[in-house]
Amino acid sequence: ADRSFLLEKEETATPISAYLDIPQIIKIAKEAEVDAIHPGYGFLSESPEFAKACADAGITFVGPTVDNLLRFSDKTSARQAAIDAGVPVVPGSDGALTSKEEVVSFVEEIGLPVIIKAAMGGGGKGMRV
């Protein structure tokens, strides 16, 4: 990167809210005639919405494609992509478990211990053993 820009936030907003303000970032980039954005690490670097907003504005998103971000932001579809590519995966459910009964049935079939993980985001904070 050869330039940086100050993001504005509402007085009562948290500092992170400005960093996640996609319309403001795109507006600043367009005004400054930016041709590419590297989103850094985490947050917007994993956002298909941000990558699409960049593409829609004619700005190169330095990172994965929108399709890749959509596929791999959801752990269920990411797991299926790995299986489809012949990558070995740990034993797990064939899809999202959406009820207590499904979880109990899965545990009875696989045995303990199991890890229950949210399908989207969280950085591992939602994992339970």
Side-chain angles (χ1 to χ4, degrees):
D2 57 1
R3 292 166 58 187
S4 61
F5 300 90
L6 179 64
L7 297 170
E8 302 293 329
K9 68 174 188 70
E10 293 182 23
E11 191 171 315
T12 58
T14 63
I16 197 75
S17 65
Y19 177 71
L20 298 175
D21 187 346
I22 294 171
Q24 179 182 189
I25 294 169
I26 297 298
K27 179 179 180 284
I28 290 170
K30 293 293 287 179
E31 289 171 355
E33 299 180 357
V34 167
D35 57 3
I37 295 177
H38 185 288
Y41 299 96
F43 298 109
L44 292 180
S45 68
E46 300 172 4
S47 169
E49 295 81 12
F50 184 54
K52 183 172 182 341
C54 288
D56 291 348
I59 299 167
T60 299
F61 177 81
V62 181
T65 65
V66 173
D67 288 340
N68 282 340
L69 287 167
L70 286 169
R71 182 150 212 186
F72 290 99
S73 64
D74 170 2
K75 290 164 191 69
T76 303
S77 64
R79 176 183 170 81
Q80 189 58 52
I83 291 168
D84 293 346
V87 175
V89 297
V90 297
S93 64
D94 292 331
L97 303 177
T98 59
S99 71
K100 178 181 175 180
E101 292 75 25
E102 287 179 332
V103 172
V104 169
S105 176
F106 177 77
V107 169
E108 288 173 348
E109 178 184 333
I110 298 295
L112 294 173
V114 297
I115 294 178
I116 298 174
K117 184 163 180 41
M120 302 288 288
K125 292 181 269 186
M127 293 173 50
R128 298 292 180 260
V129 177

